[in-house]
Amino acid sequence: MIWDTHAHLDDEDYKEDFQDVLARMKSSGILRVTNVGYDLASSERSVKLARDYDFIYAAIGIHPHNAEGITAENWDRLKELAKQEKVLAWGEIGLDYYRDLSPRPIQKEVFIRQIEFANEAGLPIVIHNRDAHQDVLEIVKAHPPVYGGVFHCYSGSREMADILLKLGFYLSFAGPVTFKNARHTVEVAEYVPMDRILVETDSPYLTPEPRRGKRNEPTYVREVVKRIAEIRNLTFEDVALQTMRNAERIFRLV
Ligand code: NI
């Protein structure tokens, strides 16, 4: 029983075999999946998927790549979506200084604004952080998410993990923890208290070993659970159960 807490099943990559992907997921013990929005259209699609399938939940938000040009009407619509049933989080939001697809001042403004909206909506946040550790940290310290948050596909150092854990955040691990060169990520996965770890796929991206490079899907979250179990010297079932409980706690779902 595993919860893949971050996937993009509305992606075009699943157009041909969406039902097969869901069937594989169900038959391999993936109990729930959170579909995560990155702009208004994908947030709408996430809410629709959550409405159509009992095991799919939604997160809604504007990714830093898409931070430019959001109108007042767009924000109003997102606030409406946040109130829909089975919307569990505001995300993914944050900063991406690796690809820099939106100007940094706009990324920051849109990130801060969405933390405030999440607080008003009573939702935790899902954070995307790529090569922006310092600024992300400054922002979450100055604008704390009242209902907590998750660092999705955590890629920072152990030192940063320490600070985030003290601030109450959860750290989510994805395919990269299975990569052979994942020394830092493994170090963090070894260190984080077991009650603060989540697992995810970020499907269709970040496919874990041994399928690295191919399309990802929620079923492969099993590889992430397996790897964390190895790193922590726990059983697969322990990690599955603990991460499920953690997700239920942060996303307030029992
Ligand atoms: Ni994502």
Side-chain angles (χ1 to χ4, degrees):
M1 306 270 256
I2 306 171
W3 189 341
D4 177 1
T5 61
H6 193 120
H8 305 281
L9 293 176
D10 56 304
D11 195 277
E12 287 197 342
D13 279 17
Y14 303 109
K15 237 186 195 155
E16 303 296 314
D17 63 346
F18 184 68
Q19 292 304 330
D20 297 336
V21 168
L22 296 187
R24 276 196 290 277
M25 173 186 146
K26 296 216 93 178
S27 65
S28 54
I30 317 305
L31 189 67
R32 296 180 183 131
V33 57
T34 306
N35 205 78
V36 179
Y38 49 85
D39 60 7
L40 183 56
S42 61
S43 296
E44 298 271 8
R45 292 195 297 269
S46 298
V47 171
K48 182 168 187 326
L49 281 172
R51 208 175 283 147
D52 291 348
Y53 297 92
D54 59 353
F55 52 90
I56 301 183
Y57 294 82
I60 56 106
I62 307 291
H63 190 285
H65 288 343
N66 307 305
E68 223 176 341
I70 309 295
T71 65
E73 289 73 28
N74 294 158
W75 289 127
D76 286 345
R77 181 58 189 155
L78 272 172
K79 288 188 200 173
E80 278 306 309
L81 289 177
K83 294 181 198 152
Q84 305 295 307
E85 227 185 306
K86 293 175 76 191
V87 173
L88 302 183
W90 200 298
E92 56 188 297
I93 61 176
L95 303 176
D96 192 311
Y97 292 174
Y98 178 72
R99 294 185 67 194
D100 271 325
L101 293 187
S102 301
R104 292 181 182 185
I106 295 178
Q107 291 191 38
K108 287 189 195 175
E109 185 200 309
V110 163
F111 182 26
I112 293 167
R113 187 192 280 249
Q114 293 185 95
I115 296 174
E116 284 159 4
F117 289 161
N119 291 346
E120 286 164 23
L123 295 174
I125 58 173
V126 176
I127 298 174
H128 171 100
N129 162 31
R130 191 135 186 229
D131 292 356
H133 302 328
Q134 216 42 54
D135 283 359
V136 165
L137 208 48
E138 261 171 46
I139 287 175
V140 295
K141 277 183 178 165
H143 307 269
V146 175
Y147 298 89
V150 177
F151 274 74
H152 126 75
C153 191
Y154 184 74
S155 62
S157 63
R158 189 179 138 158
E159 290 69 30
M160 178 157 167
D162 237 347
I163 298 170
L164 297 177
L165 291 166
K166 287 201 182 90
L167 292 171
F169 286 101
Y170 287 67
L171 306 185
S172 180
F173 292 91
V177 75
T178 69
F179 297 171
K180 292 192 173 56
N181 56 356
R183 202 161 47 84
H184 291 293
T185 311
V186 167
E187 199 191 344
V188 176
E190 198 168 15
Y191 170 74
V192 180
M194 272 313 290
D195 63 356
R196 294 292 194 84
I197 296 184
L198 301 183
V199 290
E200 62 167 290
T201 55
D202 202 19
S203 297
Y205 316 107
L206 302 178
T207 312
E209 295 288 1
R211 296 179 190 81
R212 187 175 181 179
K214 305 210 175 90
R215 185 191 71 176
N216 203 357
E217 60 179 74
T219 300
Y220 306 154
V221 74
R222 296 180 63 87
E223 302 299 333
V224 177
V225 171
K226 200 170 114 191
R227 183 71 185 116
I228 292 173
E230 273 170 21
I231 293 168
R232 304 293 295 235
N233 207 7
L234 294 169
T235 66
F236 182 94
E237 287 71 24
D238 284 340
V239 174
L241 182 66
Q242 182 71 61
T243 54
M244 172 69 79
R245 284 197 180 133
N246 298 343
E248 288 172 343
R249 193 181 320 114
I250 178 72
F251 299 124
R252 292 179 179 74
L253 188 88
V254 180

